[in-house]
Amino acid sequence: MAAIWAGIDAGKTHHHCVAIDDSGRRLLSRRVANDEPELLELIADVLALGDEVTWGIDLADGGAALAITILFNHDQPVHYISGRAIHRASESYRGEGKTDAKDAAVIADQVRVRRDLHLLRADDDIVTDLKILTGRRTDLVADRTRTVNRLRAQLTGVFPGLERALDLTNTGPLTLLTGYQTPAAIRRMGTRRLETWLRNRHVVRPDRLAGIAIEAAERQHTSLPGEKLAAELVHTLAKEVMGLNQQVAELDKDIEARFRDHHAFDVITSLPGMGVILGAEFLTATGGDMTAFGTADRLAGFGGVAPVPRDSGKISGNLRRPQRYNRRLQRVFYISALFSIRPCEESRRFYDRKRAEGKRHTQAVLALARRRVNVLWALLRDGRRYELMPPIAHAT
């Protein structure tokens, strides 16, 4: 049986494919458009080279989505290799130049010699929808963070005392800034009128916010250069942040509604600290199919919470954080572990024990995250919700 390995260097408009045999000899090298007819022709030509083809690709979605789906439809195994791994591997191949053809050849050869590459699997419709929704949410949150930073910078140039006093991630301070941005304008309103204005706009604890604003305004009687234009920009930016908050809130509802349709919703969200958003991101990062990883250890390694040895010579027992892992999944594991410390007594005890052993805060949380991977793995394997005292298996 002739085995063939094919590597695809994926791009937005074009891909480059290289196919090699078991000796590494190049059998095909072709640049194809990211278009279904050309991709179908390429797959047919590669399949004609041997009895069994194993594919590798450097993107798992985006511009590679069409090629991956067509390969899945033809029952072809597809392995993912990251761009960073390709870059490092390229250093051991002849030549310093970088071309799409060389990258595709490196991908093909890496698939041929390595056995630790992640095998892609077709996602179900729910996981695909959650990938789209959580990806959009990530973009909106990043836009909101940038806009809040611009708002802080602009407000500091007009009214630094108020910028220090307000939490601009909350709706109340943002509402205040849509109406009043300068010390003089806030002083003219006065405490009572400002409190009424805020209450009419359904701000929580308007008396407290009005008091903070008036106190800051009484400490600055100097008008700064460009104050009028800067105040208009503060108003605009505050409106933008509020709009982004509304979009994120609506998107969170859509994510929850779609996530609830997944059979593992109750299992995943039963784990303390693993809420709806983090649970949905866990599904998008893993595909929801634990058999793709084989063991909890491999899942922990994929998520970057399993330390790897760093021994040399007479020095042994050193551990370090891995370099190759899914950063989105590591964030899910870390944040959920951090959130679990307060409500879950078992997590709190484990965290306190690690701190007593001399571990720093981040190290203790990562150790807790690693332990929770085993718990989540067992829950998904058995299809049961988290319980503080697991059920006892009776001998038969």
Side-chain angles (χ1 to χ4, degrees):
M1 178 180 291
I4 302 297
W5 287 267
I8 298 178
D9 180 61
K12 184 170 67 173
T13 59
H14 289 80
H15 309 316
H16 199 105
C17 177
V18 169
I20 61 176
D21 60 17
D22 56 2
S23 66
R25 182 169 61 93
R26 189 174 300 190
L27 304 177
L28 177 146
S29 179
R30 183 185 301 174
R31 185 173 186 262
V32 298
N34 190 12
D35 195 49
E36 185 171 350
E38 291 201 26
L39 290 171
L40 288 172
E41 182 180 353
L42 170 68
I43 292 172
D45 291 344
V46 174
L47 291 177
L49 296 174
D51 301 313
E52 181 182 353
V53 181
T54 303
W55 301 77
I57 197 164
D58 62 342
L59 287 177
D61 49 24
L66 178 60
I68 293 172
T69 302
I70 292 175
L71 287 170
F72 285 159
N73 291 340
H74 285 75
D75 298 322
Q76 295 297 296
V78 185
H79 293 81
Y80 168 73
I81 178 170
S82 68
R84 177 181 296 182
I86 296 169
H87 175 71
R88 289 177 176 174
S90 295
E91 297 177 355
S92 61
Y93 290 82
R94 184 174 57 187
E96 297 184 4
K98 181 188 183 305
T99 64
D100 293 344
K102 179 181 178 181
D103 287 345
V106 171
I107 295 171
D109 197 49
Q110 288 294 294
V111 174
R112 180 178 69 92
V113 299
R114 291 178 59 174
R115 297 295 179 267
D116 61 338
L117 297 180
H118 182 64
L119 180 65
L120 298 179
R121 301 200 178 191
D123 295 326
D124 60 34
D125 292 339
I126 296 176
V127 173
T128 300
D129 291 348
L130 287 176
K131 281 185 177 181
I132 296 172
L133 292 172
T134 55
R136 173 59 177 162
R137 187 183 191 278
T138 299
D139 291 341
L140 287 176
V141 170
D143 290 342
R144 180 175 62 184
T145 300
R146 286 191 291 268
T147 308
V148 168
N149 290 337
R150 295 190 193 103
L151 175 58
R152 288 191 179 280
Q154 200 67 58
L155 183 59
T156 300
V158 177
F159 197 171
L162 188 61
E163 189 277 330
R164 290 194 303 270
L166 297 182
D167 182 357
L168 298 183
T169 62
N170 291 334
T171 301
L174 292 171
T175 302
L176 170 66
L177 293 179
T178 61
Y180 305 95
Q181 305 86 25
T182 64
I186 291 176
R187 283 197 303 271
R188 284 195 298 269
M189 281 294 291
T191 304
R192 288 184 176 274
R193 290 174 60 196
L194 184 58
E195 180 183 339
T196 301
W197 186 88
L198 292 170
R199 181 177 289 107
N200 291 339
R201 284 154 182 79
H202 310 291
V203 172
V204 177
R205 298 188 65 183
D207 54 337
R208 181 177 180 275
L209 181 57
I212 291 174
I214 292 295
E215 181 181 355
E218 292 294 344
R219 296 173 64 86
Q220 180 179 330
H221 290 263
T222 301
S223 296
L224 301 182
E227 182 179 80
K228 182 177 180 181
L229 179 57
E232 293 176 358
L233 290 177
V234 168
H235 166 85
T236 300
L237 290 170
K239 281 281 192 181
E240 289 182 10
V241 175
M242 293 179 68
L244 289 168
N245 284 341
Q246 182 63 31
Q247 292 184 59
V248 172
E250 293 173 355
L251 201 55
D252 286 349
K253 294 178 181 178
D254 294 338
I255 291 172
E256 180 174 0
R258 197 67 180 111
F259 186 19
R260 283 185 178 276
D261 293 334
H262 197 274
H263 64 85
F265 173 82
D266 290 333
V267 175
I268 294 173
T269 55
S270 69
L271 187 67
M274 187 70 82
V276 171
I277 301 302
L278 290 176
E281 290 185 352
F282 170 78
L283 272 184
T284 62
T286 62
D289 184 4
M290 296 298 100
T291 61
F293 299 95
T295 65
D297 292 340
R298 289 198 63 184
L299 176 61
F302 182 69
V305 294
V308 296
R310 189 179 186 180
D311 298 340
S312 179
K314 296 181 179 180
I315 301 175
S316 61
N318 284 349
L319 298 174
R320 65 169 176 83
R321 294 176 62 182
Q323 300 296 318
R324 299 192 301 270
Y325 58 89
N326 185 300
R327 279 154 177 76
R328 187 175 186 181
L329 186 58
Q330 187 197 55
R331 176 185 174 276
V332 170
F333 288 150
Y334 183 88
I335 297 297
S336 65
L338 184 63
F339 285 171
S340 74
I341 293 174
R342 184 182 297 273
C344 179
E345 184 179 347
E346 188 178 40
S347 294
R348 164 57 69 177
R349 286 199 303 268
F350 184 89
Y351 171 82
D352 289 342
R353 185 167 75 249
K354 291 300 177 181
R355 292 285 283 167
E357 293 173 0
K359 293 187 180 295
R360 297 189 300 272
H361 167 73
T362 301
Q363 293 175 320
V365 176
L366 283 172
L368 175 59
R370 173 64 186 90
R371 179 171 180 172
R372 284 164 50 88
V373 170
N374 290 346
V375 176
L376 183 57
W377 175 272
L379 295 178
L380 290 169
R381 179 197 61 198
D382 300 339
R384 60 180 177 84
R385 294 169 56 87
Y386 174 82
E387 297 174 352
L388 188 58
M389 295 298 294
I392 300 174
H394 297 285
T396 57

